[in-house]
mmCIF file with all atom_site columns, all heavy atoms in Angstrom:
data_model
loop_
_atom_site.group_PDB
_atom_site.id
_atom_site.type_symbol
_atom_site.label_atom_id
_atom_site.label_alt_id
_atom_site.label_comp_id
_atom_site.label_asym_id
_atom_site.label_entity_id
_atom_site.label_seq_id
_atom_site.pdbx_PDB_ins_code
_atom_site.Cartn_x
_atom_site.Cartn_y
_atom_site.Cartn_z
_atom_site.occupancy
_atom_site.B_iso_or_equiv
_atom_site.pdbx_formal_charge
_atom_site.auth_seq_id
_atom_site.auth_comp_id
_atom_site.auth_asym_id
_atom_site.auth_atom_id
_atom_site.pdbx_PDB_model_num
ATOM 1   N N   . ARG A 1 62 ? 134.461 -260.275 51.750 1.00 96.00 ? 1162 ARG A N   1
ATOM 2   C CA  . ARG A 1 62 ? 133.962 -261.340 52.630 1.00 96.00 ? 1162 ARG A CA  1
ATOM 3   C C   . ARG A 1 62 ? 134.592 -262.685 52.290 1.00 96.00 ? 1162 ARG A C   1
ATOM 4   O O   . ARG A 1 62 ? 134.984 -263.436 53.172 1.00 96.00 ? 1162 ARG A O   1
ATOM 5   C CB  . ARG A 1 62 ? 132.438 -261.464 52.519 1.00 96.00 ? 1162 ARG A CB  1
ATOM 6   C CG  . ARG A 1 62 ? 131.676 -260.404 53.234 1.00 96.00 ? 1162 ARG A CG  1
ATOM 7   C CD  . ARG A 1 62 ? 130.199 -260.672 53.107 1.00 96.00 ? 1162 ARG A CD  1
ATOM 8   N NE  . ARG A 1 62 ? 129.424 -259.601 53.704 1.00 96.00 ? 1162 ARG A NE  1
ATOM 9   C CZ  . ARG A 1 62 ? 128.188 -259.737 54.129 1.00 96.00 ? 1162 ARG A CZ  1
ATOM 10  N NH1 . ARG A 1 62 ? 127.566 -260.892 54.015 1.00 96.00 ? 1162 ARG A NH1 1
ATOM 11  N NH2 . ARG A 1 62 ? 127.559 -258.716 54.658 1.00 96.00 ? 1162 ARG A NH2 1
ATOM 12  N N   . THR A 1 63 ? 134.684 -262.971 51.005 1.00 96.00 ? 1163 THR A N   1
ATOM 13  C CA  . THR A 1 63 ? 135.272 -264.236 50.572 1.00 96.00 ? 1163 THR A CA  1
ATOM 14  C C   . THR A 1 63 ? 136.733 -264.333 51.000 1.00 96.00 ? 1163 THR A C   1
ATOM 15  O O   . THR A 1 63 ? 137.169 -265.370 51.520 1.00 96.00 ? 1163 THR A O   1
ATOM 16  C CB  . THR A 1 63 ? 135.144 -264.386 49.043 1.00 96.00 ? 1163 THR A CB  1
ATOM 17  O OG1 . THR A 1 63 ? 133.749 -264.367 48.701 1.00 96.00 ? 1163 THR A OG1 1
ATOM 18  C CG2 . THR A 1 63 ? 135.771 -265.672 48.550 1.00 96.00 ? 1163 THR A CG2 1
ATOM 19  N N   . ALA A 1 64 ? 137.488 -263.265 50.793 1.00 94.00 ? 1164 ALA A N   1
ATOM 20  C CA  . ALA A 1 64 ? 138.908 -263.259 51.178 1.00 94.00 ? 1164 ALA A CA  1
ATOM 21  C C   . ALA A 1 64 ? 139.064 -263.381 52.687 1.00 94.00 ? 1164 ALA A C   1
ATOM 22  O O   . ALA A 1 64 ? 139.926 -264.122 53.175 1.00 94.00 ? 1164 ALA A O   1
ATOM 23  C CB  . ALA A 1 64 ? 139.585 -261.986 50.672 1.00 94.00 ? 1164 ALA A CB  1
ATOM 24  N N   . ALA A 1 65 ? 138.229 -262.666 53.439 1.00 96.00 ? 1165 ALA A N   1
ATOM 25  C CA  . ALA A 1 65 ? 138.310 -262.738 54.903 1.00 96.00 ? 1165 ALA A CA  1
ATOM 26  C C   . ALA A 1 65 ? 137.946 -264.130 55.397 1.00 96.00 ? 1165 ALA A C   1
ATOM 27  O O   . ALA A 1 65 ? 138.631 -264.693 56.254 1.00 96.00 ? 1165 ALA A O   1
ATOM 28  C CB  . ALA A 1 65 ? 137.397 -261.691 55.536 1.00 96.00 ? 1165 ALA A CB  1
ATOM 29  N N   . GLU A 1 66 ? 136.902 -264.702 54.833 1.00 96.00 ? 1166 GLU A N   1
ATOM 30  C CA  . GLU A 1 66 ? 136.462 -266.024 55.277 1.00 96.00 ? 1166 GLU A CA  1
ATOM 31  C C   . GLU A 1 66 ? 137.493 -267.094 54.946 1.00 96.00 ? 1166 GLU A C   1
ATOM 32  O O   . GLU A 1 66 ? 137.636 -268.079 55.684 1.00 96.00 ? 1166 GLU A O   1
ATOM 33  C CB  . GLU A 1 66 ? 135.105 -266.387 54.675 1.00 96.00 ? 1166 GLU A CB  1
ATOM 34  C CG  . GLU A 1 66 ? 134.521 -267.679 55.205 1.00 96.00 ? 1166 GLU A CG  1
ATOM 35  C CD  . GLU A 1 66 ? 134.339 -267.717 56.720 1.00 96.00 ? 1166 GLU A CD  1
ATOM 36  O OE1 . GLU A 1 66 ? 134.029 -266.683 57.344 1.00 96.00 ? 1166 GLU A OE1 1
ATOM 37  O OE2 . GLU A 1 66 ? 134.523 -268.808 57.297 1.00 96.00 ? 1166 GLU A OE2 1
ATOM 38  N N   . ALA A 1 67 ? 138.236 -266.917 53.880 1.00 95.00 ? 1167 ALA A N   1
ATOM 39  C CA  . ALA A 1 67 ? 139.269 -267.894 53.514 1.00 95.00 ? 1167 ALA A CA  1
ATOM 40  C C   . ALA A 1 67 ? 140.307 -268.040 54.622 1.00 95.00 ? 1167 ALA A C   1
ATOM 41  O O   . ALA A 1 67 ? 140.822 -269.130 54.854 1.00 95.00 ? 1167 ALA A O   1
ATOM 42  C CB  . ALA A 1 67 ? 139.949 -267.484 52.207 1.00 95.00 ? 1167 ALA A CB  1
ATOM 43  N N   . THR A 1 68 ? 140.605 -266.950 55.331 1.00 95.00 ? 1168 THR A N   1
ATOM 44  C CA  . THR A 1 68 ? 141.563 -267.040 56.436 1.00 95.00 ? 1168 THR A CA  1
ATOM 45  C C   . THR A 1 68 ? 140.866 -267.290 57.766 1.00 95.00 ? 1168 THR A C   1
ATOM 46  O O   . THR A 1 68 ? 141.338 -268.089 58.566 1.00 95.00 ? 1168 THR A O   1
ATOM 47  C CB  . THR A 1 68 ? 142.433 -265.770 56.532 1.00 95.00 ? 1168 THR A CB  1
ATOM 48  O OG1 . THR A 1 68 ? 141.603 -264.631 56.633 1.00 95.00 ? 1168 THR A OG1 1
ATOM 49  C CG2 . THR A 1 68 ? 143.343 -265.640 55.335 1.00 95.00 ? 1168 THR A CG2 1
ATOM 50  N N   . LEU A 1 69 ? 139.751 -266.642 57.987 1.00 96.00 ? 1169 LEU A N   1
ATOM 51  C CA  . LEU A 1 69 ? 139.064 -266.795 59.274 1.00 96.00 ? 1169 LEU A CA  1
ATOM 52  C C   . LEU A 1 69 ? 138.435 -268.168 59.431 1.00 96.00 ? 1169 LEU A C   1
ATOM 53  O O   . LEU A 1 69 ? 138.287 -268.668 60.543 1.00 96.00 ? 1169 LEU A O   1
ATOM 54  C CB  . LEU A 1 69 ? 137.996 -265.703 59.438 1.00 96.00 ? 1169 LEU A CB  1
ATOM 55  C CG  . LEU A 1 69 ? 138.526 -264.278 59.511 1.00 96.00 ? 1169 LEU A CG  1
ATOM 56  C CD1 . LEU A 1 69 ? 137.372 -263.278 59.487 1.00 96.00 ? 1169 LEU A CD1 1
ATOM 57  C CD2 . LEU A 1 69 ? 139.399 -264.080 60.729 1.00 96.00 ? 1169 LEU A CD2 1
ATOM 58  N N   . GLY A 1 70 ? 138.064 -268.781 58.327 1.00 95.00 ? 1170 GLY A N   1
ATOM 59  C CA  . GLY A 1 70 ? 137.432 -270.087 58.383 1.00 95.00 ? 1170 GLY A CA  1
ATOM 60  C C   . GLY A 1 70 ? 138.416 -271.242 58.308 1.00 95.00 ? 1170 GLY A C   1
ATOM 61  O O   . GLY A 1 70 ? 138.010 -272.400 58.317 1.00 95.00 ? 1170 GLY A O   1
ATOM 62  N N   . GLY A 1 71 ? 139.688 -270.940 58.260 1.00 89.00 ? 1171 GLY A N   1
ATOM 63  C CA  . GLY A 1 71 ? 140.712 -271.979 58.182 1.00 89.00 ? 1171 GLY A CA  1
ATOM 64  C C   . GLY A 1 71 ? 140.858 -272.724 59.494 1.00 89.00 ? 1171 GLY A C   1
ATOM 65  O O   . GLY A 1 71 ? 140.188 -272.435 60.481 1.00 89.00 ? 1171 GLY A O   1
ATOM 66  N N   . GLY A 1 72 ? 141.767 -273.653 59.488 1.00 89.00 ? 1172 GLY A N   1
ATOM 67  C CA  . GLY A 1 72 ? 141.999 -274.441 60.690 1.00 89.00 ? 1172 GLY A CA  1
ATOM 68  C C   . GLY A 1 72 ? 142.900 -273.718 61.669 1.00 89.00 ? 1172 GLY A C   1
ATOM 69  O O   . GLY A 1 72 ? 143.403 -272.637 61.402 1.00 89.00 ? 1172 GLY A O   1
ATOM 70  N N   . GLY A 1 73 ? 143.077 -274.336 62.799 1.00 94.00 ? 1173 GLY A N   1
ATOM 71  C CA  . GLY A 1 73 ? 143.970 -273.779 63.809 1.00 94.00 ? 1173 GLY A CA  1
ATOM 72  C C   . GLY A 1 73 ? 143.222 -273.115 64.941 1.00 94.00 ? 1173 GLY A C   1
ATOM 73  O O   . GLY A 1 73 ? 141.998 -273.072 64.987 1.00 94.00 ? 1173 GLY A O   1
ATOM 74  N N   . SER A 1 74 ? 144.008 -272.586 65.831 1.00 95.00 ? 1174 SER A N   1
ATOM 75  C CA  . SER A 1 74 ? 143.443 -271.918 67.006 1.00 95.00 ? 1174 SER A CA  1
ATOM 76  C C   . SER A 1 74 ? 142.796 -270.595 66.606 1.00 95.00 ? 1174 SER A C   1
ATOM 77  O O   . SER A 1 74 ? 142.990 -270.103 65.485 1.00 95.00 ? 1174 SER A O   1
ATOM 78  C CB  . SER A 1 74 ? 144.555 -271.658 68.019 1.00 95.00 ? 1174 SER A CB  1
ATOM 79  O OG  . SER A 1 74 ? 145.448 -270.665 67.504 1.00 95.00 ? 1174 SER A OG  1
ATOM 80  N N   . ALA A 1 75 ? 142.065 -270.018 67.527 1.00 96.00 ? 1175 ALA A N   1
ATOM 81  C CA  . ALA A 1 75 ? 141.456 -268.706 67.277 1.00 96.00 ? 1175 ALA A CA  1
ATOM 82  C C   . ALA A 1 75 ? 142.547 -267.672 67.017 1.00 96.00 ? 1175 ALA A C   1
ATOM 83  O O   . ALA A 1 75 ? 142.435 -266.855 66.093 1.00 96.00 ? 1175 ALA A O   1
ATOM 84  C CB  . ALA A 1 75 ? 140.589 -268.299 68.470 1.00 96.00 ? 1175 ALA A CB  1
ATOM 85  N N   . TYR A 1 76 ? 143.604 -267.726 67.810 1.00 96.00 ? 1176 TYR A N   1
ATOM 86  C CA  . TYR A 1 76 ? 144.721 -266.793 67.604 1.00 96.00 ? 1176 TYR A CA  1
ATOM 87  C C   . TYR A 1 76 ? 145.335 -266.993 66.222 1.00 96.00 ? 1176 TYR A C   1
ATOM 88  O O   . TYR A 1 76 ? 145.630 -266.023 65.525 1.00 96.00 ? 1176 TYR A O   1
ATOM 89  C CB  . TYR A 1 76 ? 145.789 -266.972 68.687 1.00 96.00 ? 1176 TYR A CB  1
ATOM 90  C CG  . TYR A 1 76 ? 146.983 -266.075 68.469 1.00 96.00 ? 1176 TYR A CG  1
ATOM 91  C CD1 . TYR A 1 76 ? 146.961 -264.754 68.897 1.00 96.00 ? 1176 TYR A CD1 1
ATOM 92  C CD2 . TYR A 1 76 ? 148.116 -266.534 67.804 1.00 96.00 ? 1176 TYR A CD2 1
ATOM 93  C CE1 . TYR A 1 76 ? 148.044 -263.918 68.675 1.00 96.00 ? 1176 TYR A CE1 1
ATOM 94  C CE2 . TYR A 1 76 ? 149.203 -265.703 67.578 1.00 96.00 ? 1176 TYR A CE2 1
ATOM 95  C CZ  . TYR A 1 76 ? 149.158 -264.397 68.011 1.00 96.00 ? 1176 TYR A CZ  1
ATOM 96  O OH  . TYR A 1 76 ? 150.228 -263.563 67.780 1.00 96.00 ? 1176 TYR A OH  1
ATOM 97  N N   . ASP A 1 77 ? 145.515 -268.233 65.800 1.00 96.00 ? 1177 ASP A N   1
ATOM 98  C CA  . ASP A 1 77 ? 146.094 -268.518 64.484 1.00 96.00 ? 1177 ASP A CA  1
ATOM 99  C C   . ASP A 1 77 ? 145.230 -267.936 63.368 1.00 96.00 ? 1177 ASP A C   1
ATOM 100 O O   . ASP A 1 77 ? 145.737 -267.388 62.391 1.00 96.00 ? 1177 ASP A O   1
ATOM 101 C CB  . ASP A 1 77 ? 146.248 -270.023 64.265 1.00 96.00 ? 1177 ASP A CB  1
ATOM 102 C CG  . ASP A 1 77 ? 147.325 -270.648 65.117 1.00 96.00 ? 1177 ASP A CG  1
ATOM 103 O OD1 . ASP A 1 77 ? 148.196 -269.916 65.643 1.00 96.00 ? 1177 ASP A OD1 1
ATOM 104 O OD2 . ASP A 1 77 ? 147.285 -271.894 65.268 1.00 96.00 ? 1177 ASP A OD2 1
ATOM 105 N N   . ARG A 1 78 ? 143.911 -268.044 63.512 1.00 97.00 ? 1178 ARG A N   1
ATOM 106 C CA  . ARG A 1 78 ? 143.011 -267.534 62.469 1.00 97.00 ? 1178 ARG A CA  1
ATOM 107 C C   . ARG A 1 78 ? 142.994 -266.010 62.449 1.00 97.00 ? 1178 ARG A C   1
ATOM 108 O O   . ARG A 1 78 ? 142.980 -265.400 61.385 1.00 97.00 ? 1178 ARG A O   1
ATOM 109 C CB  . ARG A 1 78 ? 141.619 -268.121 62.647 1.00 97.00 ? 1178 ARG A CB  1
ATOM 110 C CG  . ARG A 1 78 ? 141.638 -269.614 62.255 1.00 97.00 ? 1178 ARG A CG  1
ATOM 111 C CD  . ARG A 1 78 ? 140.293 -270.268 62.320 1.00 97.00 ? 1178 ARG A CD  1
ATOM 112 N NE  . ARG A 1 78 ? 139.897 -270.399 63.705 1.00 97.00 ? 1178 ARG A NE  1
ATOM 113 C CZ  . ARG A 1 78 ? 138.652 -270.315 64.141 1.00 97.00 ? 1178 ARG A CZ  1
ATOM 114 N NH1 . ARG A 1 78 ? 137.662 -270.118 63.318 1.00 97.00 ? 1178 ARG A NH1 1
ATOM 115 N NH2 . ARG A 1 78 ? 138.385 -270.464 65.422 1.00 97.00 ? 1178 ARG A NH2 1
ATOM 116 N N   . LEU A 1 79 ? 143.009 -265.391 63.640 1.00 97.00 ? 1179 LEU A N   1
ATOM 117 C CA  . LEU A 1 79 ? 143.098 -263.926 63.677 1.00 97.00 ? 1179 LEU A CA  1
ATOM 118 C C   . LEU A 1 79 ? 144.425 -263.465 63.080 1.00 97.00 ? 1179 LEU A C   1
ATOM 119 O O   . LEU A 1 79 ? 144.477 -262.486 62.325 1.00 97.00 ? 1179 LEU A O   1
ATOM 120 C CB  . LEU A 1 79 ? 142.942 -263.405 65.105 1.00 97.00 ? 1179 LEU A CB  1
ATOM 121 C CG  . LEU A 1 79 ? 141.560 -263.546 65.741 1.00 97.00 ? 1179 LEU A CG  1
ATOM 122 C CD1 . LEU A 1 79 ? 141.599 -263.076 67.193 1.00 97.00 ? 1179 LEU A CD1 1
ATOM 123 C CD2 . LEU A 1 79 ? 140.505 -262.790 64.953 1.00 97.00 ? 1179 LEU A CD2 1
ATOM 124 N N   . SER A 1 80 ? 145.483 -264.169 63.412 1.00 96.00 ? 1180 SER A N   1
ATOM 125 C CA  . SER A 1 80 ? 146.800 -263.849 62.885 1.00 96.00 ? 1180 SER A CA  1
ATOM 126 C C   . SER A 1 80 ? 146.816 -263.990 61.359 1.00 96.00 ? 1180 SER A C   1
ATOM 127 O O   . SER A 1 80 ? 147.336 -263.126 60.650 1.00 96.00 ? 1180 SER A O   1
ATOM 128 C CB  . SER A 1 80 ? 147.844 -264.771 63.522 1.00 96.00 ? 1180 SER A CB  1
ATOM 129 O OG  . SER A 1 80 ? 149.115 -264.497 63.002 1.00 96.00 ? 1180 SER A OG  1
ATOM 130 N N   . ALA A 1 81 ? 146.241 -265.069 60.853 1.00 96.00 ? 1181 ALA A N   1
ATOM 131 C CA  . ALA A 1 81 ? 146.193 -265.282 59.401 1.00 96.00 ? 1181 ALA A CA  1
ATOM 132 C C   . ALA A 1 81 ? 145.422 -264.151 58.718 1.00 96.00 ? 1181 ALA A C   1
ATOM 133 O O   . ALA A 1 81 ? 145.821 -263.673 57.647 1.00 96.00 ? 1181 ALA A O   1
ATOM 134 C CB  . ALA A 1 81 ? 145.558 -266.632 59.085 1.00 96.00 ? 1181 ALA A CB  1
ATOM 135 N N   . TYR A 1 82 ? 144.336 -263.714 59.340 1.00 97.00 ? 1182 TYR A N   1
ATOM 136 C CA  . TYR A 1 82 ? 143.562 -262.605 58.775 1.00 97.00 ? 1182 TYR A CA  1
ATOM 137 C C   . TYR A 1 82 ? 144.400 -261.323 58.758 1.00 97.00 ? 1182 TYR A C   1
ATOM 138 O O   . TYR A 1 82 ? 144.453 -260.614 57.749 1.00 97.00 ? 1182 TYR A O   1
ATOM 139 C CB  . TYR A 1 82 ? 142.270 -262.386 59.569 1.00 97.00 ? 1182 TYR A CB  1
ATOM 140 C CG  . TYR A 1 82 ? 141.558 -261.122 59.162 1.00 97.00 ? 1182 TYR A CG  1
ATOM 141 C CD1 . TYR A 1 82 ? 140.888 -261.052 57.953 1.00 97.00 ? 1182 TYR A CD1 1
ATOM 142 C CD2 . TYR A 1 82 ? 141.598 -259.990 59.973 1.00 97.00 ? 1182 TYR A CD2 1
ATOM 143 C CE1 . TYR A 1 82 ? 140.266 -259.873 57.555 1.00 97.00 ? 1182 TYR A CE1 1
ATOM 144 C CE2 . TYR A 1 82 ? 140.981 -258.820 59.583 1.00 97.00 ? 1182 TYR A CE2 1
ATOM 145 C CZ  . TYR A 1 82 ? 140.315 -258.769 58.374 1.00 97.00 ? 1182 TYR A CZ  1
ATOM 146 O OH  . TYR A 1 82 ? 139.708 -257.604 57.982 1.00 97.00 ? 1182 TYR A OH  1
ATOM 147 N N   . LEU A 1 83 ? 145.047 -261.019 59.861 1.00 97.00 ? 1183 LEU A N   1
ATOM 148 C CA  . LEU A 1 83 ? 145.827 -259.786 59.949 1.00 97.00 ? 1183 LEU A CA  1
ATOM 149 C C   . LEU A 1 83 ? 147.052 -259.802 59.033 1.00 97.00 ? 1183 LEU A C   1
ATOM 150 O O   . LEU A 1 83 ? 147.454 -258.763 58.514 1.00 97.00 ? 1183 LEU A O   1
ATOM 151 C CB  . LEU A 1 83 ? 146.255 -259.546 61.396 1.00 97.00 ? 1183 LEU A CB  1
ATOM 152 C CG  . LEU A 1 83 ? 145.126 -259.101 62.328 1.00 97.00 ? 1183 LEU A CG  1
ATOM 153 C CD1 . LEU A 1 83 ? 145.547 -259.248 63.784 1.00 97.00 ? 1183 LEU A CD1 1
ATOM 154 C CD2 . LEU A 1 83 ? 144.710 -257.670 62.024 1.00 97.00 ? 1183 LEU A CD2 1
ATOM 155 N N   . LEU A 1 84 ? 147.631 -260.964 58.836 1.00 96.00 ? 1184 LEU A N   1
ATOM 156 C CA  . LEU A 1 84 ? 148.866 -261.067 58.058 1.00 96.00 ? 1184 LEU A CA  1
ATOM 157 C C   . LEU A 1 84 ? 148.646 -261.417 56.583 1.00 96.00 ? 1184 LEU A C   1
ATOM 158 O O   . LEU A 1 84 ? 149.606 -261.480 55.823 1.00 96.00 ? 1184 LEU A O   1
ATOM 159 C CB  . LEU A 1 84 ? 149.789 -262.117 58.683 1.00 96.00 ? 1184 LEU A CB  1
ATOM 160 C CG  . LEU A 1 84 ? 150.313 -261.789 60.079 1.00 96.00 ? 1184 LEU A CG  1
ATOM 161 C CD1 . LEU A 1 84 ? 151.027 -262.995 60.682 1.00 96.00 ? 1184 LEU A CD1 1
ATOM 162 C CD2 . LEU A 1 84 ? 151.225 -260.572 60.040 1.00 96.00 ? 1184 LEU A CD2 1
#
Side-chain angles (χ1 to χ4, degrees):
R1162 284 183 184 203
T1163 300
E1166 186 57 35
T1168 55
L1169 296 173
S1174 69
Y1176 177 83
D1177 290 342
R1178 288 183 290 146
L1179 291 176
S1180 179
Y1182 171 73
L1183 287 165
L1184 295 171

